[in-house]
Amino acid sequence: MGAMADSLFEFFHHQMILYFEENFGEEQIQYNMEKIGYRVGFSLVEKATKEEARFKENVEIVKYICKDLWQMLFRKQADNLKTNHTGTFVIQDNRFRFLNRVSQSKQYLDRGQLYLSFTCGVIRGALTNFGMPCTVTSEVNVSPTCKFQISIQQTS
């Protein structure tokens, strides 16, 4: 994507939040944004990896999310990936693009989840496509830095 496409992507993301704010409560906004993100992540990975061999290890898949998928969406790789090797991963982005223009005040940091729910959905959709059902949560302590925690659901 070029600079114009990047700006349009950010604008579109912000406009979706504004639209949902006018029509729904905060929980419904997060649900809708996560649902849209899920579809995007699932479809994007399906299209981007159709010619590639499937990954075998969970760590390889999450590294793909941090490097390749993050690059496709945000024109940069995620800044950090941590794991406890028992199915929990934490992705950190120190300059998350959807938070760059959000004020540092507590009022806006409390609303940070609205700006992260789309990406939580993208991650969950991508990992589900790879056969890794999971839950994804996010947190913002100091904008624009954020973390996404991924908990892989153990299948029996």
Side-chain angles (χ1 to χ4, degrees):
M1 285 193 280
M4 179 68 142
D6 287 346
S7 295
L8 289 172
F9 181 46
E10 288 178 37
F11 177 76
F12 179 68
H13 181 269
H14 185 69
Q15 290 302 308
M16 282 193 305
I17 291 172
L18 292 178
Y19 170 78
F20 289 137
E21 281 181 324
E22 291 176 5
N23 297 288
F24 303 103
E26 190 168 323
E27 276 186 34
Q28 190 66 37
I29 297 168
Q30 288 183 20
Y31 173 79
N32 288 336
M33 292 295 289
E34 199 271 348
K35 189 174 172 182
I36 293 167
Y38 179 90
R39 297 276 314 243
V40 168
F42 194 93
S43 299
L44 194 57
V45 162
E46 187 169 42
K47 186 173 183 176
T49 62
K50 71 179 178 183
E51 302 295 324
E52 297 179 23
R54 287 298 228 185
F55 301 104
K56 295 180 181 172
E57 299 292 324
N58 288 355
V59 173
E60 292 175 343
I61 295 169
V62 178
K63 283 182 181 178
Y64 173 85
I65 301 296
C66 290
K67 292 179 179 181
D68 298 328
L69 185 65
W70 226 256
Q71 184 71 38
M72 280 185 256
L73 290 171
F74 307 118
R75 294 179 53 103
K76 66 185 264 323
Q77 294 181 1
D79 295 303
N80 197 354
L81 171 63
K82 294 181 182 177
T83 182
N84 65 0
H85 300 286
T86 61
T88 301
F89 299 87
V90 176
I91 299 172
Q92 181 171 324
D93 191 322
N94 296 328
R95 294 179 325 276
F96 190 65
R97 84 179 310 156
F98 295 146
L99 295 175
N100 279 336
R101 292 185 177 89
V102 175
S103 172
Q104 299 281 339
S105 72
K106 175 143 175 51
Q107 170 192 359
Y108 291 102
L109 286 179
D110 290 344
R111 296 183 64 235
Q113 294 305 314
L114 298 179
Y115 292 90
L116 301 177
S117 54
F118 173 80
T119 305
C120 287
V122 169
I123 295 168
R124 192 171 70 83
L127 291 174
T128 299
N129 189 306
F130 281 120
M132 291 174 58
C134 61
T135 56
V136 181
T137 57
S138 58
E139 70 178 56
V140 180
N141 291 324
V142 179
S143 183
T145 299
C146 63
K147 294 179 182 179
F148 298 92
Q149 181 169 316
I150 303 164
S151 298
I152 306 301
Q153 298 170 1
Q154 302 302 322
T155 55
S156 20

